[in-house]
Structures are given as structure tokens and as C-alpha cells.
Amino acid sequence: MTTTAAQSGLVVPSGGFTPYPEVPQPNIFPMEWRVETPKLAELYERSKRQVWNPADFPWETLRPEDFTEEQRLGIMYWYAVLANFDGSGPAVFAKATIHAFETHQEDPIRKCFFSITRDEMNHEEVCQRAIQKLIPGAPLDFEATSDLAKAAQNNIGWLYHNGGRYWTGYSASLAKYPLSVLFTSFLMGEVASSTLFFGMSKKATHPVFKELFKKVGQDEARHLAICLTVLERDWPGLSDEYKTMITKQLRAGFVFLSMILWEPPNQFWDIPDYFMPNHRVLVQHARDAGLGVLTYEEQAENWKLALARVRAIVGEWGIDFPAIPELDVEGVDVGHIGPEDIIPVF
Ligand SMILES: [Fe+2]
Ligand SMILES: [Fe+2]
């Protein structure tokens, strides 16, 4: 028998309420906002306060006619190389956001991933705007008339081919690795990107680029803080098997990110022989145009400093650092690195 309270209309079954069905797990969204790491909630708030709009930049001051054709190609090329990394950012973090929801991570982790997705979309838009402003249709769909333009277009096509090689591996890695392993790759990416953009914001002479690098660098520094906070939470208690995996991930991060931070090692990258010489010529034109690209030696020094930072962080948790003979960094030999090892992030 059911009693109805006459005034409110509320129904209270005399035998009690029917228990609701348990939702099978993992399931897409948690119905709670659990906070285990308040620091992450603070970082999410910071991301909302620091939000900016790439469309509001004074793009009219980036005038194609202020540069030589070689310089326009150089800048376009450098941004296309960057886009090969930044272009994957939104999708990588959107997937990670969904993963965080499915596995019912605490609320600030879900939100922090979302904020990185938002930021990466802005970074990707910066590449888009810089490229299209200087060479409409670029990086791939423009008519290349000079040898330099053809070389740029061809190199970018090769880069894109390589970008396409790791996507399936990344998609599978979400289910395969715990968050802490994924985050180590993210950590490498964020240390690399914050280092890169900080260095370039200091060196760029064109005001638009200087300001852009500052804004993007500020976002990357926040991404780095998010990574470090998650890792502090997850690293204690990590099994030896995962520690070994992380060491390999760090080497994979170096192999992958060196393409934009320095020069890629002879591993993973499937590129023709002429790729690197042409890459150097094009990047030099970007440098001459005031984009703020560091010299080969400065890049190596910068990368080495960034790696030393990562090494110190992971060392605290008893994780070995991989050997990076390219930069005279000693460490563990992790063997072959293939597309399945690359977790693309920037
Ligand atoms: Fe980014
Ligand atoms: Fe980032």
C-alpha cells in the first residue's frame, strides 16, 4: 500500500523506495564532484582566469609584405612543424578527458584535462592564423612555385605522414597504461613546450610573435603544473614494471619532441635524406625573419636543461632516466622506439 501525503503530493511507498539499478562501470560520467587534490582545482580556476583569445591578437601587424618570400616560407614552415604537434593537442586531450570521465577520476582531473583541451585548441589556432596570414592555403594546399616552396611543402607532407603513424598507438595506450605512465609523457611534452616558448618569447623580435609565445608559454607552464600535481598524487606506489615503462616513455618523448625542440635523432622518424638539410635552410629563414627560433647550439642547451629538470623530478620517485647520447646524457638503454611508444603531446 502506498500513502500519499495529502498536501505535498509526495509519494512514499509503505514498503520503502525501490533501489535504483547500479550503473555498470566504467561508465561515461560520474555523478559526483569529488576533490582529492585541491591543488588541481586551483589550477583549473587559474586556467579560467588566464583564458585568452588568439583572434584578438593584432594580426593586421603581421604583414606578409614586411618579409621576403623566403622568410614567409620559413615562418610558415616553422609553424607547420609546430602544427604537427599542436594539431594533435586538442584530440589527444579530448580523448584523455573522456578517459578521465569513463574511469571516474576526481573532478579536478576531469576539469584540468578539459582546460588543456581548450588551451591546445587555441595553440592550434595560432598555427592556423600565422600560416594562413603569410601563405594562404599553406601548409599543404598552396601552389609551390619556387624550389624552396616545393621543399617546404614536401617536408611538411613527410612530417604529416609521421604524425599519422602514432595516432592508433596513442588511442590504444589510454586503455593500456595507468594515468601515471601517460602523465610522464605529458610531463615531457609540457616541460619541452614551456621551455621552447619561454626561450622563443625572449628571442623573438617581431612583437606579434613575442606576445604569442608569452601567452602560449603561460598556458604550457600551467599544463606542466597540472602534470606535476597529478604525478605527485600517483607516483608513490608505482610498480617496477611501470617504472621501466616510464623510462622508455621518456626516451620516446625525446625522440618525438626533438623535431620541434632541436633536431630529431635517427630513430622513429621516417623522412627522406634531403629532409634535414632542407629543414635547416627553412628554419634559418624563419630565424632571420625575427620569429625567435634559437640556434642549433642554443636549442641543444635548452633541451638539455629541460631534460635535466625531468630527470631530477623522476629521480625522486626512483625512476631511471634513459640514455640520450645525442646530448651526452647518460642513462638506461631502452632499445627500439616505435610508433606504438609515442604518446603525442605538447
Ligand atoms: Fe600547446
Ligand atoms: Fe601543453
Side-chain angles (χ1 to χ4, degrees):
M1 203 183 96
T2 299
T3 56
T4 303
Q7 276 172 343
S8 67
L10 189 73
V11 176
V12 182
S14 56
F17 291 104
T18 313
Y20 50 81
E22 183 116 6
V23 177
Q25 299 302 321
N27 188 276
I28 182 62
F29 65 92
M31 187 67 102
E32 41 80 2
W33 295 269
R34 186 173 97 251
V35 178
E36 287 156 8
T37 322
K39 176 91 193 288
L40 286 173
E42 271 170 43
L43 285 164
Y44 178 62
E45 288 309 311
R46 205 198 290 174
S47 79
K48 285 187 286 182
R49 281 192 299 268
Q50 291 180 338
V51 86
W52 55 284
N53 181 0
D56 288 343
F57 266 76
W59 290 102
E60 69 282 357
T61 62
L62 184 66
R63 285 179 298 265
E65 60 273 23
D66 289 349
F67 303 99
T68 64
E69 197 202 328
E70 288 80 9
Q71 290 174 339
R72 282 198 293 276
L73 280 165
I75 299 172
M76 179 283 282
Y77 177 78
W78 187 86
Y79 264 108
V81 177
L82 181 65
N84 204 53
F85 294 83
D86 271 346
S88 69
V92 161
F93 279 101
K95 242 185 199 296
T97 305
I98 294 172
H99 180 70
F101 272 75
E102 282 177 340
T103 54
H104 292 205
Q105 297 295 324
E106 59 170 310
D107 178 61
I109 289 211
R110 283 137 48 189
K111 287 193 161 65
C112 280
F113 271 156
F114 166 75
S115 77
I116 301 179
T117 311
R118 165 76 272 176
D119 294 337
E120 290 309 328
M121 196 66 100
N122 279 345
H123 302 175
E124 198 257 355
E125 184 181 333
V126 168
C127 298
Q128 172 192 9
R129 286 180 182 274
I131 289 172
Q132 306 267 290
K133 188 75 209 274
L134 296 176
I135 302 182
L140 289 167
D141 193 17
F142 70 104
E143 207 187 324
T145 44
S146 65
D147 282 345
L148 189 70
K150 285 178 192 153
Q153 201 175 44
N154 186 270
N155 264 18
I156 294 159
W158 276 101
L159 275 176
Y160 187 48
H161 150 71
N162 281 277
R165 288 169 64 216
Y166 56 67
W167 185 252
T168 333
Y170 169 69
S171 298
S173 73
L174 281 174
K176 231 166 42 192
Y177 303 135
L179 222 47
S180 46
V181 175
L182 281 175
F183 261 94
T184 318
S185 303
F186 294 169
L187 174 74
M188 269 294 267
E190 305 302 357
V191 168
S193 54
S194 49
T195 307
L196 175 77
F197 295 121
F198 179 67
M200 290 186 73
S201 73
K202 280 198 300 188
K203 208 161 172 189
T205 51
H206 195 291
V208 168
F209 293 131
K210 207 173 184 59
E211 218 26 60
L212 280 170
F213 289 136
K214 251 192 229 160
K215 284 287 184 202
V216 175
Q218 185 182 55
D219 290 346
E220 301 303 352
R222 196 173 55 253
H223 301 174
L224 177 58
I226 291 172
C227 269
L228 287 173
T229 312
V230 172
L231 289 172
E232 270 166 32
R233 191 196 76 146
D234 284 5
W235 267 348
L238 208 61
S239 71
D240 283 348
E241 185 202 348
Y242 285 143
K243 284 183 183 172
T244 310
M245 231 182 232
I246 288 176
T247 303
K248 186 165 186 177
Q249 276 303 317
L250 292 170
R251 170 79 201 169
F254 167 76
V255 170
F256 179 63
L257 295 163
S258 285
M259 179 58 85
I260 184 75
L261 260 89
W262 185 42
E263 287 194 356
N266 237 339
Q267 206 175 6
F268 170 73
W269 292 98
D270 180 24
I271 44 179
D273 289 344
Y274 56 77
F275 182 98
M276 278 320 295
N278 292 350
H279 176 89
R280 286 180 200 123
V281 171
L282 283 154
V283 169
Q284 186 55 46
H285 286 304
R287 211 173 263 132
D288 296 342
L291 183 61
V293 185
L294 306 188
T295 63
Y296 178 86
E297 289 76 20
E298 288 168 335
Q299 283 178 331
E301 207 39 53
N302 224 15
W303 207 183
K304 223 173 150 165
L305 274 175
L307 292 173
R309 240 174 122 190
V310 177
R311 183 188 203 119
I313 296 165
V314 300
E316 275 187 47
W317 298 102
I319 294 164
D320 289 331
F321 203 74
I324 316 256
E326 296 85 349
L327 285 170
D328 298 321
V329 175
E330 285 177 15
V332 179
D333 180 5
V334 295
H336 172 78
I337 302 280
E340 67 285 358
D341 298 311
I342 304 282
I343 296 181
V345 81
F346 211 51

